[in-house]
Amino acid sequence: MEAGFAPPSVNRMQDDLETGIEGPDPAGPSPFARVFVAGERGGESRRDAVALRMALAAGAETVTVGEDADLLVTGATDEVEGARCPVAVAPRGLAERGGYELRRIDVGIDGGRGAAAALAVAGRLALAHDARLRAIAIAAPGSALDGVARQADPREVERLAGRLEHATAALTGVWAETELREGPVARVIVDFARQADLLVLGSRAGYGNAGRVVLGEVAARVLGAAACPTLIVPAP
């Protein structure tokens, strides 16, 4: 998926998946009670989405209208923008990997409303699945000068360090690791995603799109390159 990708809304997508999929109970309360699975039945993208749905919310009710869900699950080829609830995107080939489980969750922190919402959902998932949680903040380097990349602004590094400490201290019942790195944001996040089972990012927040999934440049690039599933959480 390229940066600037602007697909249509998935809110009115219909699906004929049978409701009430049975599965093992998670270790704690799941943040998702009603799940919509997108994609054409029998297609590879749909199989990947179903595999991710079972890992994230096996005991949840499956609904047939996207607007009724509090989680939308799609494959890598489906549209995600416009949803009013979190959207989980399965990478290609997830269904064929076998044994996919939620053991490590990485969540991006930048201090915005979208990141705060993402951390809250990631914390509940970590609690429900007894998974490890890692909060990641990335300080982008300054613009290149004479072809030489500049270091990140020390004030931004300090700000992000404070955001990380404040955000993770607010989590209840979950032990979280923190990582503060410098570098191109999308590239660093994709590198982290190689070690994670789920990457959680906040949606871009802006005038007129509060409460909806809107992909910023970083999220769009990550969705196209991350090896693990990605969960996009709309800013309130």
Side-chain angles (χ1 to χ4, degrees), residues 203-217:
S203 171
R204 183 178 64 188
Y207 179 78
N209 61 33
R212 289 180 179 269
V213 168
V214 179
L215 296 181
E217 181 178 350

Side-chain angles (χ1 to χ4, degrees), residues 119-139:
L119 181 62
V121 171
R124 292 183 64 188
L125 278 170
L127 185 63
H129 295 270
D130 195 24
R132 297 172 63 185
L133 179 65
R134 178 168 57 179
I136 302 166
I138 304 161

Side-chain angles (χ1 to χ4, degrees), residues 139-174:
S143 301
L145 184 63
D146 296 328
V148 179
R150 297 168 57 189
Q151 291 185 325
D153 186 333
R155 294 170 296 181
E156 176 67 2
V157 174
E158 183 178 359
R159 182 188 76 86
L160 288 172
R163 293 286 188 180
L164 272 177
E165 182 179 357
H166 176 76
T168 54
L171 291 172
T172 301
V174 178

Side-chain angles (χ1 to χ4, degrees), residues 192-213:
F192 272 112
R194 295 191 180 100
Q195 308 165 18
D197 299 307
L198 180 69
L199 177 63
V200 185
L201 300 174
S203 171
R204 183 178 64 188
Y207 179 78
N209 61 33
R212 289 180 179 269
V213 168

Side-chain angles (χ1 to χ4, degrees), residues 213-233:
V213 168
V214 179
L215 296 181
E217 181 178 350
V218 169
R221 289 181 176 177
V222 169
L223 280 178
C228 72
T230 304
L231 178 66
I232 307 294
V233 180

